[in-house]
């Protein structure tokens, strides 16, 4: 019997939630020490990768008929499994060490059926933890925190945290649109030019984390600068064309959408979790 039929649940877990809701649980604080900024080694995540590799090592070597190497990986899986359990005491109930021991014994017996059964039972413990915690952990630890990032408002010349700055930026845009729709050109010009200056200043925020110019240019590159410059020209006209201004505004906000798609949801989750 070939071992390829075995499905390793721990190596290929898919998240499953209710049809109408996703519940995110705040990861325990004991996990903090295994992720930045407290650690750059990602020890907890590293153990996930080690266990996934070990599952594959067992399968590959049983397929090859190399039970000695399969046993090596089974023991490595068991040892890493135990270490991982001890890293986060709050999650100890997810771990069933006896099932890891059973997998080692199954491999020692060189019985394919027993090895498949033991692997599936152990894999289900990994799957349960992943289904209940993996998404929240990724959102909490795999995205940067904006807590310590601040920007200088080019209009009021004050230092603002990211949230407050975004609030002022968004308000400038919405107030401009209100005045345009009310055909109050002078007021729309003033608020619109404020928006342009604040939008340009966003680039300084990206450079505080993105050390590669390529990633920065992907969002605030040439097309963004050109859209802002054209918007500025439209607003500076003697008789601003409200329709053209609003149409061109979409070319600016597409960059906002790109950034939000990457950062907004994780930022909201982190804030909700008090991280």
């Amino acid at each position: 019997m070939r071992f390829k039929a075995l499905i390793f649940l721990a190596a290929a877990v898919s998240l499953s939630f209710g049809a109408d809701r996703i519940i995110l649980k705040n990861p325990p604080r004991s996990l903090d020490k295994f992720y930045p900024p407290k650690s750059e080694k990602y020890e907890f995540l590293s153990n996930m990768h080690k266990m996934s590799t070990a599952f594959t090592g067992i399968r590959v070597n049983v397929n090859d008929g190399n039970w000695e190497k399969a046993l090596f990986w089974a023991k490595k899986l068991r040892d890493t499994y135990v270490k991982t359990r001890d890293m986060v005491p709050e999650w100890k109930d997810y771990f069933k060490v006896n099932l890891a021991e059973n997998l080692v014994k199954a491999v020692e017996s060189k019985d394919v059926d027993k090895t498949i059964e033991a692997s599936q039972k152990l894999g289900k413990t990994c799957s349960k933890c992943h289904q209940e915690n993996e998404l929240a952990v990724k959102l909490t630890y795999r995205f940067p925190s904006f807590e310590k990032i601040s920007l200088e408002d080019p209009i009021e010349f004050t230092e603002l945290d990211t949230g407050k700055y975004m609030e002022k930026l968004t308000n400038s845009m919405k107030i401009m649109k209100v005045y345009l729709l009310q055909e109050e050109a002078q007021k729309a010009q003033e608020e619109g030019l404020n928006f342009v200056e604040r939008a340009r200043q966003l680039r300084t925020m990206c450079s505080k984390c993105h050390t590669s110019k390529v990633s920065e240019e992907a969002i605030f590159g040439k097309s963004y600068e050109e859209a802002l410059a054209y918007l500025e020209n439209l607003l500076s006209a003697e008789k601003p064309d409200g329709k053209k201004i609003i149409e061109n505004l979409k070319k600016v906000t597409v960059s906002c959408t790109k950034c939000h798609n990457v950062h907004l949801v994780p930022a909201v989750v982190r804030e909700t979790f008090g991280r």
Side-chain angles (χ1 to χ4, degrees):
M1 179 178 180
R2 299 293 285 169
F3 201 54
K4 291 179 180 177
L6 173 60
I7 299 174
F8 281 113
L9 296 177
V13 172
S14 60
L15 295 171
S16 62
F17 305 97
D20 59 348
R21 64 177 179 171
I22 294 176
I23 298 174
L24 297 178
K25 296 188 291 186
N26 197 343
R29 287 288 178 176
S30 59
L31 199 59
D32 289 1
K33 59 180 173 289
F34 305 116
Y35 286 91
K38 292 187 177 181
S39 173
E40 297 294 333
K41 296 179 180 179
Y42 292 89
E43 293 94 334
F44 191 84
L45 178 62
S46 177
N47 277 8
M48 296 294 111
H49 293 162
K50 289 177 182 178
M51 287 189 286
S52 178
T53 301
F55 267 114
T56 303
I58 299 169
R59 173 174 57 84
V60 167
N61 284 288
V62 171
N63 278 340
D64 291 344
N66 192 336
W67 287 97
E68 183 180 348
K69 289 290 179 64
L71 182 59
F72 165 83
W73 286 109
K75 289 180 177 179
K76 189 174 185 64
L77 174 57
R78 176 200 59 198
D79 295 345
T80 307
Y81 189 84
V82 172
K83 287 179 182 178
T84 307
R85 177 201 61 181
D86 296 340
M87 292 170 81
V88 186
E90 296 90 339
W91 284 350
K92 62 179 173 48
D93 290 341
Y94 287 109
F95 293 81
K96 309 299 180 185
V97 176
N98 64 305
L99 297 181
E101 293 287 0
N102 288 345
L103 178 55
V104 172
K105 292 176 183 178
V107 175
E108 285 177 332
S109 73
K110 299 182 182 180
D111 187 307
V112 174
D113 289 333
K114 287 182 179 179
T115 302
I116 290 175
E117 182 182 3
S119 296
Q120 289 178 333
K121 287 182 178 179
L122 180 62
K124 286 179 181 178
T125 68
C126 302
S127 180
K128 178 176 173 58
C129 186
H130 288 180
Q131 288 172 352
E132 296 184 7
N133 300 296
E134 185 178 22
L135 183 56
V137 169
K138 285 184 175 180
L139 290 171
T140 301
Y141 295 108
R142 300 300 297 276
F143 291 84
S145 171
F146 292 91
E147 182 184 354
K148 296 182 180 179
I149 295 179
S150 60
L151 295 88
E152 182 180 329
D153 184 0
I155 308 304
E156 299 177 0
F157 302 104
T158 55
E159 198 80 8
L160 300 172
D161 63 40
T162 304
K164 291 294 183 183
Y165 190 90
M166 290 297 182
E167 186 178 334
K168 284 189 175 291
L169 172 71
T170 304
N171 282 339
S172 290
M173 178 184 68
K174 291 190 291 187
I175 293 169
M176 172 191 69
K177 290 172 72 175
V178 167
Y179 283 138
L180 285 172
L181 294 171
Q182 292 177 183
E183 299 184 348
E184 296 183 56
Q186 187 174 355
K187 290 181 179 180
Q189 280 179 324
E190 180 181 353
E191 206 59 53
L193 291 172
N194 286 348
F195 169 75
V196 170
E197 289 302 309
R198 284 174 170 142
R200 281 199 176 111
Q201 183 76 336
L202 281 176
R203 193 181 188 105
T204 63
M205 175 178 66
C206 298
S207 61
K208 293 181 180 182
C209 290
H210 293 281
T211 56
S212 167
K213 286 295 179 184
V214 175
S215 57
E216 187 179 321
E217 289 294 322
I219 295 178
F220 296 117
K222 184 178 179 181
S223 59
Y224 179 74
E225 293 293 344
E226 288 178 347
L228 281 177
Y230 186 53
L231 179 61
E232 189 174 34
N233 288 336
L234 290 173
L235 286 163
S236 300
E238 186 175 343
K239 293 183 178 179
D241 186 327
K243 185 176 180 180
K244 282 188 176 180
I245 290 172
I246 291 175
E247 285 179 356
N248 187 72
L249 186 60
K250 296 175 183 177
K251 296 179 181 178
V252 176
T253 56
V254 70
S255 292
C256 303
T257 301
K258 287 179 183 178
C259 185
H260 289 177
N261 285 345
V262 175
H263 292 296
L264 185 58
V265 172
V268 171
V269 170
R270 290 176 67 104
E271 183 178 1
T272 302
F273 284 166
R275 301 283 181 157

